[in-house]
């Protein structure tokens, strides 16, 4: 038996933003059509450790049947030393024999697929004329979301903000080169989101970074940074007033700090969730209903997204002769 190994550079080569959009639409539709078996992720959080480990298994049935498993460590302080907060691997297994088929860099897959799902949410939920973008967070996901947002909306203005002013300035310069337009580095979140109709929160903060009174009518928010019950980026007032869309309802009710903090404060309940994104994608649920409502997509990241991305990468690596094949 041989196993494919793909490093980060090879993942980026094969999982282009366009390919990721197609794969994530496929993953979300499969979930909406009940073709996915996906337990809640298991979190290993040792009391004195610097980070945590998440274990995310999934199975997809049908013609593209496969098993997948992502094991990822999340170290929130990694960006301060120039590393992605997410470190780990995605494993792909044959649905026919259970044999291991591939081992792939999880940081790169997470980076690309997360931004692609936000792009799908933006395409489905943001106003068609939205183009004033604010990105909160200057790490890997902030960078990936700049490109993803530009792929689904024509950007007129871009503002970015992070914890470190020097890093924010450098990030703005990098973004300007990437997007071929002017990008403003802001000194506060309030300044960055003033008048914005597209907002991305991609931070490692445990406390809210976005406040309701800063958000303009009709804005669409992609809340990406928090994926654990103990951290949130969005304040309670925003969670209560926004039209809330999620990648998966069960995951949100059990794993989303943005949701759970607001629920414990009595501001929202399960009925606040308008729909899963896959249901909107396949036409089973409505999206935005008017130009003035604030729509919010709470992204947790799903194991099926990693599985479908890995399956795509496996087939593309075979087709292009990319990667390292090792005996196992």
């Amino acid at each position: 038996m041989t196993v494919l190994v793909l490093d980060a550079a090879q993942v980026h080569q094969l999982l282009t933003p366009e390919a990721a959009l197609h794969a994530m639409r496929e993953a979300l539709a499969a979930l909406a059509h009940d073709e996915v078996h996906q337990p809640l992720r298991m979190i290993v959080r040792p009391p004195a450790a610097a980070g945590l480990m998440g274990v995310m298994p999934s199975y997809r049935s049908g013609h593209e049947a496969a098993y997948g498993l992502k094991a990822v460590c999340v170290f929130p302080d990694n960006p301060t030393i120039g590393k992605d907060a997410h470190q780990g691997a995605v494993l792909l297994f044959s649905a026919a024999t259970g044999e291991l088929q591939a081992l792939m860099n999880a940081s790169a897959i997470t980076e690309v697929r997360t931004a692609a799902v936000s792009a799908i949410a933006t395409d489905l939920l943001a106003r068609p004329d939205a183009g004033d973008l604010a990105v909160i967070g200057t790490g890997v996901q902030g960078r990936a979301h700049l490109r993803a947002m530009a792929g689904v909306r024509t950007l007129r203005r871009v503002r970015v903000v992070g914890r470190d002013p020097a890093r924010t300035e450098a990030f703005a310069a990098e973004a300007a080169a990437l997007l071929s337009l002017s990008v403003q580095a802001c000194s506060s979140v309030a300044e960055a989101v003033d008048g914005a109709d597209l907002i991305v929160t991609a931070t490692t903060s445990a406390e809210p970074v976005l406040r309701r009174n800063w958000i303009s009518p009709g804005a669409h928010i992609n809340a990406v940074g928090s994926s654990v019950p103990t951290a949130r980026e969005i304040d309670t007032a925003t969670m209560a007033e926004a039209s809330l869309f999620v990648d998966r309802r069960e995951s949100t009710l059990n794993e989303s700090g943005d949701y759970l903090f607001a629920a414990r404060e009595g501001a929202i309940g399960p009925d606040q969730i308008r729909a899963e994104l896959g249901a909107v994608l396949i036409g089973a649920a409505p999206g935005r209903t008017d130009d003035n409502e604030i729509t919010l997509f709470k992204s947790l990241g799903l194991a099926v997204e990693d599985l479908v991305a890995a399956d795509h990468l496996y087939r593309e690596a075979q087709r292009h002769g990319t990667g390292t094949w090792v005996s196992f």
Side-chain angles (χ1 to χ4, degrees):
M1 181 177 80
T2 57
V3 175
L4 170 67
V5 179
L6 290 179
D7 63 22
Q10 291 161 338
V11 169
H12 282 291
Q13 176 190 344
L14 298 174
L15 189 63
T16 65
E18 295 76 18
L21 274 174
H22 177 78
M24 293 307 98
R25 288 190 182 103
E26 186 181 323
L28 292 167
L31 186 64
H33 286 303
D34 201 25
E35 297 171 357
V36 174
H37 180 77
Q38 179 180 277
L40 291 171
R41 76 184 90 196
M42 184 181 77
I43 302 295
V44 181
R45 193 193 304 271
L52 59 84
M53 173 179 279
V55 182
M56 301 167 60
S58 64
Y59 171 78
R60 180 186 179 186
S61 62
H63 176 66
E64 302 291 346
Y67 285 98
L69 174 68
K70 180 163 79 172
V72 60
C73 290
V74 181
F75 279 61
D77 291 337
N78 271 8
T80 64
I81 56 172
K83 295 183 181 293
D84 190 348
H86 293 77
Q87 301 289 331
V90 175
L91 307 179
L92 180 69
F93 299 87
S94 166
T97 66
E99 292 174 289
L100 178 64
Q101 294 177 309
L103 169 71
M104 304 177 184
N105 184 284
S107 298
I109 290 177
T110 303
E111 173 188 346
V112 179
R113 64 85 156 144
T114 303
V117 173
S118 293
I120 294 167
T122 301
D123 200 32
L124 292 171
L125 302 174
R127 294 194 320 238
D129 63 346
D132 191 325
L133 171 65
V135 176
I136 307 168
T138 57
V140 169
Q141 282 301 331
R143 186 182 307 110
H145 277 74
L146 285 165
R147 177 179 291 175
M149 296 302 101
V152 293
R153 288 295 185 272
T154 300
L155 301 181
R156 299 183 299 273
R157 182 167 71 158
V158 179
R159 287 164 288 174
V160 299
V161 62
R163 289 180 295 183
D164 181 82
R167 183 180 175 88
T168 301
E169 289 285 354
F171 183 80
E174 180 184 347
L178 175 69
L179 301 174
S180 298
L181 54 83
S182 176
V183 176
Q184 178 186 352
C186 296
S187 59
S188 70
V189 175
E191 178 189 6
V193 304
D194 183 29
D197 47 27
L198 295 174
I199 300 171
V200 173
T201 61
T203 75
T204 57
S205 176
E207 301 294 333
V209 297
L210 186 63
R211 304 286 178 180
R212 171 64 188 91
N213 59 320
W214 300 338
I215 303 168
S216 297
H220 171 69
I221 304 162
N222 293 305
V224 177
S226 169
S227 58
V228 294
T230 55
R232 61 171 170 169
E233 298 179 298
I234 312 300
D235 74 341
T236 294
T238 301
M239 293 298 296
E241 294 186 35
S243 297
L244 178 60
F245 298 83
V246 301
D247 45 15
R248 185 173 181 239
R249 187 179 297 267
E250 182 186 13
S251 299
T252 302
L253 297 178
N254 287 277
E255 300 171 351
S256 169
D258 290 299
Y259 173 86
L260 291 169
F261 275 94
R264 283 194 291 267
E265 292 172 16
I268 61 174
D271 292 343
Q272 183 78 10
I273 300 173
R274 177 83 64 84
E276 293 185 354
L277 189 61
V280 180
L281 178 66
I282 68 171
R288 172 179 291 272
T289 56
D290 66 66
D291 284 347
N292 288 322
E293 74 175 315
I294 295 170
T295 54
L296 190 156
F297 171 59
K298 177 55 217 163
S299 171
L300 282 170
L302 302 178
V304 67
E305 297 165 2
D306 301 307
L307 168 58
V308 174
D311 185 62
H312 166 83
L313 285 162
Y314 186 73
R315 287 183 277 109
E316 286 297 291
Q318 290 179 309
R319 189 162 72 92
H320 292 285
T322 302
T324 302
W325 296 84
V326 298
S327 297
F328 188 79

